Amino acid sequence: MTATLTGGPDLQQARRILTEIPGPRSRDLAERRNAALPAGLASGAGVYIAAAGGGVVVDVDGNSFIDLGSGIAVTTVGNAAPAVVSRAGSQLAQYTHTCFLNVPYEPYIEVAERLNALTPGDHQKRTALFSTGAEAVENAVKYARAYTGRDAVVVFDHAFHGRSLLTMTMTAKNQPYKHGFGPFAPEVYRAPMAYPYRWPSGPENCAAEAFDLFTTLIDAQIGADQVACVVVEPIQGEGGFIVPAEGFLQKVADFCRERGILVVADEVQTGIARTGAWFACEHEDLVPDLITTAKGLGGGLPLAAVTGRAEIMDAAHAGGIGGTYAGNPVACAAALGVFDEIEQNGLIERARAIGEVIVAELRSIAATTGLIGEIRGRGAMIAVELIKPGTREPNKEAVAALAKHCHDNGVLTLTAGTFGNVLRFLPPLTITDELLVDAFGVIRDGFAAL
Ligand SMILES: *Cc1c(COP(=O)(O)O)cnc(C)c1O
């Protein structure tokens, strides 16, 4: 029965557990997987999907889970969203691939036009498309190096930029992303992030002191005229939804502008309506020189982009940038469907409203437990950092126990954080308030059981 289940918003919007978790069909698939796939390809959930849409994921045993992860911030407009399915479906039937470097096509141009118009800043822009977030970040660095003629790249503590050689190097966390995979790419430098909750001298000193350390790194240690770009997530994703101390990003951007250093905003996780704005940079009036997008852009199909100042994007020579699948026409059509869904269904406003519901639920839970150190994030990108009561010590065990409790009771969550002690919430913007409240009831019970 589940094999023919159709996804999308018509799927029944309810949490429903029919079998033990994982159920028999998921366990069969797990056995086949163990025999066919390498051990290191881990999955968070133990259940296998049959269909998804709205705010739920239905597994192969008919269990219905509330989705608080969106496939890591990808299905922002909902899984199998109608405009994505119809646009990508028509495109599939027309042509699936030519390679844009070989025979070009209109959907690519249309996505570029939309991103040029939507991204922050009213300067002339250009967009190049790719398939994955890591590829977008890697190419942003190529553009920055080509334009500035400089080598060095500055990134931050707790950063995540991908899993390719360069972006793995730019990523901060050793386990699981880097361990044993070196040697790493040269000319990548790391500055402290203005992380208010964990700033040694207190959150009130965070922006100013972090900025001092940043300027020392660039002016005294690397040499400003060696630095091509600073790459920063306006809200750090895998790092634990760290919102930089207010004013920090602006100071960094001003400093960089004075020295001819480009600012690259990595909005692969935060972009495309997720935080209650098209881009998280807008919350701080930040206008980056280059901006990378992926995850939410393709509505589940692999599409990524670098959008930036025309003169920077034009600096790379012909043939130097691209890829066989980069800007695949079906993925471009899907992205146009994503823009339709966001605009026609008011999903930016919905992201803000979802954030308000989640924060209210978490505050009420926080009043009953000593485990919550901080609630943070913006829009439909909210996290809780868990600590050992009465301390600021990271509580990774509590996060693991909560994630398991949620999974066993029909709620899919994601963890994050350099210390593994963050539970993050990235629901599709098509989730109902009823599902959200039900999901946080499960989470509340999970906290009570700890
Ligand atoms: C996920 C992510 C990436 C990498 O994207 P992939 O599509 O997995 O290569 C890069 N930067 C940020 C901020 C991300 O969240």
Side-chain angles (χ1 to χ4, degrees):
M1 135 244 175
T2 45
T4 54
L5 205 55
T6 302
D10 294 340
L11 216 47
Q12 194 194 354
Q13 297 298 301
R15 182 167 62 93
R16 182 179 66 232
I17 298 298
L18 302 176
T19 69
E20 53 182 326
I21 303 293
R25 290 184 180 193
S26 278
R27 288 201 304 270
D28 284 351
L29 286 170
E31 217 167 281
R32 282 172 55 195
R33 169 222 187 99
N34 292 340
L37 276 56
L41 270 177
S43 300
V47 296
Y48 287 73
I49 185 173
V56 299
V57 171
V58 179
D59 79 4
V60 287
D61 292 290
N63 301 299
S64 178
F65 292 76
I66 301 174
D67 182 9
L68 297 185
S70 302
I72 318 191
V74 169
T75 54
T76 305
V77 298
N79 224 309
V84 172
V85 171
S86 94
R87 288 229 196 205
S90 314
Q91 182 58 52
L92 261 175
Q94 259 180 292
Y95 56 91
T96 49
H97 174 85
T98 59
C99 185
F100 194 78
L101 299 175
N102 185 16
V103 182
Y105 39 85
E106 185 177 2
Y108 187 120
I109 300 168
E110 209 176 331
V111 171
E113 288 168 346
R114 299 301 306 272
L115 285 172
N116 291 346
L118 289 170
T119 45
D122 45 21
H123 49 275
Q124 280 261 325
K125 289 176 218 152
R126 299 285 185 268
T127 289
L129 298 180
F130 303 95
S131 304
T132 69
E135 219 186 337
V137 172
E138 186 122 9
N139 279 282
V141 171
K142 284 165 75 171
Y143 282 116
R145 284 176 170 165
Y147 178 73
T148 60
R150 304 170 177 180
D151 293 336
V153 175
V154 174
V155 292
F156 289 91
D157 286 341
H158 313 290
F160 182 87
H161 297 296
R163 296 169 181 269
S164 64
L165 176 60
L166 176 60
T167 59
M168 162 178 74
T169 306
M170 293 165 68
T171 290
K173 196 176 173 182
N174 175 260
Q175 273 290 8
Y177 306 122
K178 305 168 83 160
H179 191 80
F181 298 150
F184 301 109
E187 290 306 314
V188 174
Y189 300 86
R190 194 171 304 284
M193 170 45 72
Y195 181 176
Y197 181 69
R198 294 201 173 274
W199 197 256
S201 61
E204 63 283 3
N205 302 314
C206 180
E209 290 180 13
F211 179 65
D212 277 348
L213 294 167
F214 174 81
T215 62
T216 304
L217 173 72
I218 289 192
D219 279 344
Q221 296 178 24
I222 313 169
D225 61 359
Q226 305 297 304
V227 180
C229 60
V230 170
V231 183
V232 64
E233 300 156 83
I235 299 173
Q236 292 186 307
E238 307 302 300
F241 290 12
I242 299 164
V243 183
E246 204 182 329
F248 176 71
L249 292 178
Q250 246 338 315
K251 282 174 192 264
V252 163
D254 292 344
F255 172 91
C256 288
R257 200 141 297 138
E258 284 162 18
R259 286 160 178 75
I261 298 168
L262 303 183
V263 174
V264 181
D266 181 354
E267 292 236 25
V268 167
Q269 190 154 161
T270 51
I272 319 293
R274 173 55 55 190
T275 67
W278 276 105
F279 299 95
C281 282
E282 294 168 42
H283 299 295
E284 310 229 21
D285 290 322
L286 191 73
V287 178
D289 299 296
L290 298 169
I291 183 161
T292 56
T293 46
K295 292 193 166 96
L297 177 62
L301 278 84
L303 190 69
V306 180
T307 302
R309 291 182 189 278
E311 65 273 20
I312 300 168
M313 300 293 290
D314 287 339
H317 56 271
I321 303 284
T324 307
Y325 298 109
N328 168 271
V330 182
C332 287
L336 297 173
V338 167
F339 295 134
D340 288 351
E341 291 279 352
I342 291 171
E343 282 167 354
Q344 288 163 17
N345 300 320
L347 293 184
I348 292 187
E349 295 70 32
R350 182 67 193 138
R352 278 184 232 139
I354 286 171
E356 280 163 22
V357 172
I358 296 178
V359 168
E361 292 285 333
L362 288 171
R363 286 205 178 123
S364 121
I365 294 171
T368 69
T369 169
L371 290 166
I372 294 184
E374 191 178 45
I375 300 165
R376 60 178 178 246
R378 289 191 206 273
M381 183 173 182
I382 304 288
V384 270
E385 172 154 2
L386 299 198
I387 42 134
K388 307 207 164 130
T391 73
R392 211 165 281 198
E393 237 181 280
N395 196 337
K396 183 178 173 169
E397 299 71 26
V399 164
L402 269 170
K404 180 171 182 338
H405 169 88
C406 287
H407 184 256
D408 291 348
N409 289 281
V411 178
L412 297 178
T413 59
L414 295 166
T415 61
T418 299
F419 314 110
N421 66 324
V422 175
L423 201 59
R424 58 172 158 164
F425 307 108
L426 293 162
L429 306 182
T430 46
I431 196 168
T432 61
D433 281 358
E434 292 69 33
L435 281 181
L436 273 179
V437 169
D438 186 27
F440 279 87
V442 170
I443 292 167
R444 186 182 302 269
D445 294 344
F447 270 101
L450 284 171

